[in-house]
């Protein structure tokens, strides 16, 4: 596969030095991942708190008290799963609107709007007195996450020098992991506060939202976005700030202007343009990568980690501690990815992580099948529970340095400017759509498939690892303006991106 050589090595962005402004700006933008991570971590822990269940889901609490209840099925409640999954259907809807907002108002404004909406959702959830308020709060949180997840990866990819783009974009996943760990720690403490602990857990979502909103207000928008909206003076000042006052920024600015003018000459809606034949590889990647990420099973395990640990025999405190450990392992693996993704490339991490996750999922299924069987009427021994936690940690590590950060990185870097906002919107929308489906069905699947649910995910991970091996070109170090070259040199995608007698309309320079 093609590496970084030969793709505009003299490009200013590729050779630009790493300035303090770039580092601060990208870290500030990446902090948007905090709100997504906090929500992922907080929802699963709250649903194990007896006061929360007693107020909103008493039927689940009765199941927990029933000694004859199948362990796998204790939390099988569609209303309970709707509490978690409603956020993601709202996020899906907001992503489609966010595409227009990022294009017309800029990446920065979209992040600010997302943070403010998330703040409102956190306030509603913390004050909820019935299920309707819970769901309304979750929907507002979903709108906030949808806007920020749309804008943030684009912001970082457009701001960072090409040779550091992978590291900085992975920072979004790093903050997401930090959010998960913080949420799990808060859940552990809040569970000891009695009847109002769950309100503290849900309401504190306002803290990371306020932090990232303030940060977004303080940074400038990306040069690409400013040029796209005709603000050349601001774009030049932004480039001078992030590249350094001694840098020759005119070459990069001219490249951005040329790309923007070419996009404007195509008098067509980006959501229509992306369906043209020459953008077939981009469209397929924007759909398949987020689908496959969700089919690793990581998000449903992250949402329901405390529930899952309780279902296989952990006590309440032990389940929350297990979720914290799982989050810390995932966080550490993301840090490893940050230091390796621009050195070894995207494909190596994708495939190694895939193999690691397959082995762990199969091992989990075999172990739980041998110890719990299908009845699930006996809890695991302490030793067996620790082994389950270890396998899940190894699985989380494989995800953390592969499909976790790379699912956000690849879609943010492969699109030309004319379809960049539309492509990112499709990618994030598909991600939320799959998250909604899987989070809404996971507890029912656990009840019906028992330990076989892990084999279900292992099979999909095998499929996606093969897909990456055959169809994803290496994008390490390639400037965004030269990204089309990797598709033109690919053994399969070149038939769509290069001119052929049958398809003379395909323009390899587009």
């Amino acid at each position: 596969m093609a590496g970084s050589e030969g793709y505009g090595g003299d490009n200013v962005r590729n050779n630009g030095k790493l300035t303090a402004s770039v580092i601060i700006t990208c870290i500030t933008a990446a902090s948007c991942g905090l709100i997504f991570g906090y929500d992922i971590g907080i929802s699963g822990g709250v649903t194990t708190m007896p006061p929360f269940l007693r107020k909103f889901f008493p039927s689940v609490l009765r199941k927990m008290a029933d000694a004859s209840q199948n362990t796998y099925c204790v939390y099988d409640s569609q209303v309970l799963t709707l509490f978690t999954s409603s956020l993601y259907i709202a996020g899906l809807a907001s992503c489609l609107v966010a595409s227009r907002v990022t294009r017309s108002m800029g990446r920065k404004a979209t992040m600010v709007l997302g943070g403010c909406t998330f703040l409102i959702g956190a306030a509603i959830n913390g004050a909820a007195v019935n299920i309707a308020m819970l769901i309304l709060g979750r929907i507002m949180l979903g709108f906030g996450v949808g806007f920020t997840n749309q804008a943030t990866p684009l912001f970082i990819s457009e701001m960072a020098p090409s040779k550091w783009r992978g590291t900085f974009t992975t920072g979004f996943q790093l903050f997401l992991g930090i959010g998960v760990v913080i949420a799990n720690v808060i859940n552990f403490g809040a569970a000891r506060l009695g009847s109002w602990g769950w309100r503290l857990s849900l309401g504190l979502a306002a803290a990371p939202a306020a932090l990232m909103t303030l940060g977004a207000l303080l940074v400038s928008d990306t040069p690409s976005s400013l040029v796209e909206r005709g603000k050349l003076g601001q774009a030049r000042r932004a480039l001078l700030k992030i590249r350094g006052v001694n840098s020759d920024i005119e070459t990069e600015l001219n490249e951005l202007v040329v790309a923007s003018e070419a996009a404007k000459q195509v008098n067509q809606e980006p959501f229509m343009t992306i369906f043209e034949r020459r953008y077939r590889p981009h469209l397929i990647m924007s759909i398949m990568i987020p689908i496959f990420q969700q089919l690793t099973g990581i998000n449903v395990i992250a949402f329901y980690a405390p529930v899952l640990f309780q279902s296989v025999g952990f006590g309440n405190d032990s389940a929350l501690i297990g979720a914290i450990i799982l989050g810390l392992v995932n966080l550490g693996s993301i840090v490893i990815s940050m230091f390796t993704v621009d050195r070894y490339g995207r494909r190596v991490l994708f495939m190694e992580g895939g193999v690691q996750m397959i082995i762990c999922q199969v091992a989990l299924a075999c172990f739980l099948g041998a110890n719990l069987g299908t009845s699930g009427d006996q809890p695991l021994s302490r030793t067996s529970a620790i082994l389950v936690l270890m396998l899940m940690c190894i699985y989380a590590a494989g995800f953390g340095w592969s499909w976790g950060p790379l699912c956000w990185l690849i879609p943010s870097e492969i699109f030309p400017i004319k379809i960049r906002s539309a492509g990112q919107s499709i990618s994030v929308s598909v991600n939320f759509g799959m998250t909604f489906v899987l989070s809404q069905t996971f507890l029912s699947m656990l009840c019906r498939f028992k330990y076989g649910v892990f084999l279900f995910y292992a099979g999909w991970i095998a499929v996606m690892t093969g897909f990456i091996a055959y169809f994803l070109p290496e994008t390490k170090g390639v400037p965004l303006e030269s990204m089309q070259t990797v598709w033109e040199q690919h053994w399969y995608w070149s038939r769509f991106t290069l001119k052929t007698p049958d398809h003379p309309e395909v323009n390899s320079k587009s």
Side-chain angles (χ1 to χ4, degrees), residues 141-426:
L141 294 176
F143 288 149
V145 170
F147 280 116
T148 53
N149 284 18
Q150 158 75 11
T152 302
L154 288 183
F155 184 99
I156 299 172
S157 283
E158 292 176 349
M159 193 67 79
S162 297
K163 67 180 294 185
W164 299 100
R165 189 174 61 240
T167 297
F168 281 115
T169 307
T170 301
F172 176 76
Q173 184 74 16
L174 176 67
F175 275 97
L176 192 155
I178 291 172
V180 170
V181 172
I182 291 173
N184 286 328
V185 171
I186 288 174
N187 276 336
F188 182 74
R192 288 159 169 69
L193 298 178
S195 60
W196 60 277
W198 62 270
R199 291 191 185 276
L200 179 67
S201 290
L202 296 179
L204 278 178
L211 179 66
M212 59 80 46
T213 303
L214 179 61
L217 286 169
L218 297 177
V219 300
S220 62
D221 212 339
T222 70
S224 292
S225 177
L226 292 168
V227 168
E228 188 178 20
R229 291 177 287 135
K231 300 181 178 182
L232 295 183
Q234 292 184 38
R236 181 177 282 105
R237 289 193 295 272
L239 279 173
L240 281 172
K241 184 177 181 180
I242 63 176
R243 302 294 180 236
V245 293
N246 296 322
S247 299
D248 176 17
I249 54 94
E250 293 303 320
T251 301
E252 181 176 356
L253 182 62
N254 289 336
E255 288 180 350
L256 295 175
V257 171
V258 169
S260 178
E261 290 300 320
K264 290 176 181 177
Q265 289 174 8
V266 181
N267 189 22
Q268 192 172 6
E269 171 68 28
F271 276 102
M272 297 296 295
T273 304
I274 199 172
F275 286 95
E276 292 178 4
R277 177 181 170 84
R278 58 183 160 178
Y279 299 126
R280 192 69 49 78
H282 309 73
L283 178 63
I284 290 176
M285 290 298 168
S286 70
I287 294 172
M288 296 309 299
I289 287 181
I291 286 177
F292 282 149
Q293 190 210 40
Q294 293 308 308
L295 286 171
T296 62
I298 187 64
N299 272 355
V300 290
I301 289 177
F303 298 149
Y304 301 119
V307 171
L308 187 61
F309 286 139
Q310 279 200 346
S311 295
V312 297
F314 285 59
N316 187 52
D317 285 352
S318 297
L320 291 173
I321 292 172
I324 293 172
I325 294 171
L326 200 64
L328 288 170
V329 169
N330 182 60
L331 188 59
S333 64
I334 295 169
V335 173
I336 293 173
S337 181
M338 291 182 69
F339 288 99
T340 56
V341 66
D342 285 318
R343 180 173 182 179
Y344 298 108
R346 286 63 162 147
R347 285 166 45 81
V348 169
L349 294 180
F350 263 132
M351 290 187 284
E352 190 286 329
V355 171
Q356 184 171 326
M357 287 189 289
I358 291 169
I359 293 171
C360 289
Q361 294 276 36
V362 171
L364 273 169
C366 294
F367 184 79
L368 292 177
N371 286 270
L372 290 180
T374 57
S375 63
D377 54 2
Q378 293 294 327
L380 293 175
S381 67
R382 180 179 177 83
T383 301
S384 297
I386 291 173
L387 182 57
V388 168
L389 177 60
M390 289 176 60
L391 287 171
M392 286 191 175
C393 286
I394 298 171
Y395 162 84
F399 176 86
W401 57 56
S402 62
W403 282 90
L406 296 181
C407 180
W408 301 105
L409 171 59
I410 297 298
S412 73
E413 68 181 0
I414 63 174
F415 298 107
I417 191 170
K418 70 179 71 175
I419 59 170
R420 192 169 294 159
S421 62
Q424 181 71 5
S425 179
I426 290 172

Side-chain angles (χ1 to χ4, degrees), residues 3-31:
S4 60
E5 294 79 5
Y7 298 121
D10 58 347
N11 183 280
V12 177
R13 292 182 72 231
N14 199 36
N15 292 328
K17 62 182 180 180
L18 198 59
T19 64
S21 180
V22 166
I23 295 173
I24 294 170
T25 301
C26 289
I27 290 176
T28 301
S31 69

Side-chain angles (χ1 to χ4, degrees), residues 16-66:
K17 62 182 180 180
L18 198 59
T19 64
S21 180
V22 166
I23 295 173
I24 294 170
T25 301
C26 289
I27 290 176
T28 301
S31 69
C32 291
L34 278 173
I35 63 174
F36 193 21
Y38 187 91
D39 179 79
I40 289 174
I42 213 71
S43 56
V46 165
T47 54
T48 66
M49 296 182 186
F52 177 81
L53 294 173
R54 188 175 300 113
K55 185 172 184 62
F56 298 108
F57 307 100
S59 62
V60 174
L61 206 58
R62 288 193 295 270
K63 282 186 183 180
M64 294 174 66
D66 185 359

